[in-house]
Amino acid sequence: MRIITGKYKGRHFEIPRSFKARPTTDFAKENIFNVLHAYIDFEGATALDLFSGTGSITLELLSRGCSQVISVELDRDHHRFIQDCLKKLSTLNSQLPPAIPIRGDVFRFIKSCHQLFDFIFADPPYALKELPQIPDLIFEKNLLKPEGIFVFEHGKDHDFSKHAHFVEHRSYGSVNFTLFR
């Protein structure tokens, strides 16, 4: 896994072979972030990374200048990996912006969260039965700032184009992103 651009561009992190999480491919990550430049300036933005997995998106957001990134991951080993990656980055820059890795259930976090974010990214397991409800939960809880953007990574079996907050859909191989505002 590598950071695509920003302060930590090119940094690599070896993901243990035992991991169940699949990081967003470099190709898909690079392309969706290119699209996002039309929607958001990451410098100084507050961000939320749900179903963080390997922490790939969290690290990318920090590299691009977010002022705070909260990542939520349930799996103990994945959470520990994210913490280790953040420690490695902090050795490169003692002024690393606040990164808050939370080990917990995303749905509980959403229900109890009272913070607003400029950017939210969610990459749930594609087979998660609650996957179709996640966009509604984000907007019911009003987690986005007025000009905020929500990016939802999902498999090809889901179409959110009729959702009230739908902005656009992008597909990169088997990786699909739907943008909401």
Side-chain angles (χ1 to χ4, degrees):
M1 171 179 85
R2 79 179 168 98
I3 298 175
I4 303 295
T5 198
K7 298 174 208 166
Y8 308 112
K9 178 182 178 176
R11 294 273 175 226
H12 286 265
F13 299 90
E14 290 300 318
I15 299 169
R17 294 191 189 279
S18 61
F19 269 30
K20 296 172 279 195
R22 45 157 180 70
T24 302
T25 65
D26 285 354
F27 175 76
K29 185 167 57 169
E30 186 168 10
N31 279 290
I32 195 61
F33 273 96
N34 286 340
V35 169
L36 288 170
H37 279 295
Y39 292 100
I40 185 170
D41 178 4
F42 289 104
E43 191 67 41
T46 56
L48 175 62
D49 181 10
L50 300 171
F51 304 96
S52 300
T54 62
S56 173
I57 299 299
T58 292
L59 298 173
E60 193 69 40
L61 292 167
L62 289 170
S63 185
R64 291 170 185 260
C66 284
S67 64
Q68 181 189 54
V69 180
I70 296 174
S71 60
V72 183
E73 173 55 47
L74 182 60
D75 185 275
R76 181 189 72 232
D77 294 333
H78 297 180
H79 177 260
R80 188 177 307 121
F81 180 77
I82 293 167
Q83 288 179 311
D84 291 345
C85 291
L86 292 170
K87 283 179 191 166
K88 287 176 186 172
L89 283 186
S90 70
T91 63
L92 300 172
N93 179 0
S94 61
Q95 300 300 316
L96 186 68
I100 304 167
I102 296 173
R103 181 172 171 239
D105 179 78
V106 165
F107 297 101
R108 285 186 183 157
F109 177 85
I110 290 171
K111 288 179 185 174
S112 65
C113 184
H114 299 291
Q115 184 174 345
L116 297 177
F117 299 93
D118 296 298
F119 180 74
I120 299 174
F121 186 91
D123 179 11
Y126 289 0
L128 185 71
K129 68 179 173 110
E130 299 92 350
L131 185 145
Q133 288 81 42
I134 293 171
D136 289 334
L137 291 173
I138 296 295
F139 290 100
E140 285 168 11
K141 289 298 291 178
N142 296 312
L143 296 179
L144 273 180
K145 290 181 180 177
E147 293 301 312
I149 191 88
F150 168 43
V151 176
F152 192 45
E153 183 175 335
H154 56 86
K156 66 179 189 292
D157 298 335
H158 297 281
D159 178 6
F160 296 95
S161 61
K162 303 286 188 236
H163 193 280
H165 296 277
F166 174 83
V167 174
E168 69 175 285
H169 173 262
R170 296 290 178 123
S171 178
Y172 305 104
S174 63
V175 180
N176 289 267
F177 296 102
T178 300
L179 282 67
F180 301 89
R181 179 165 259 170

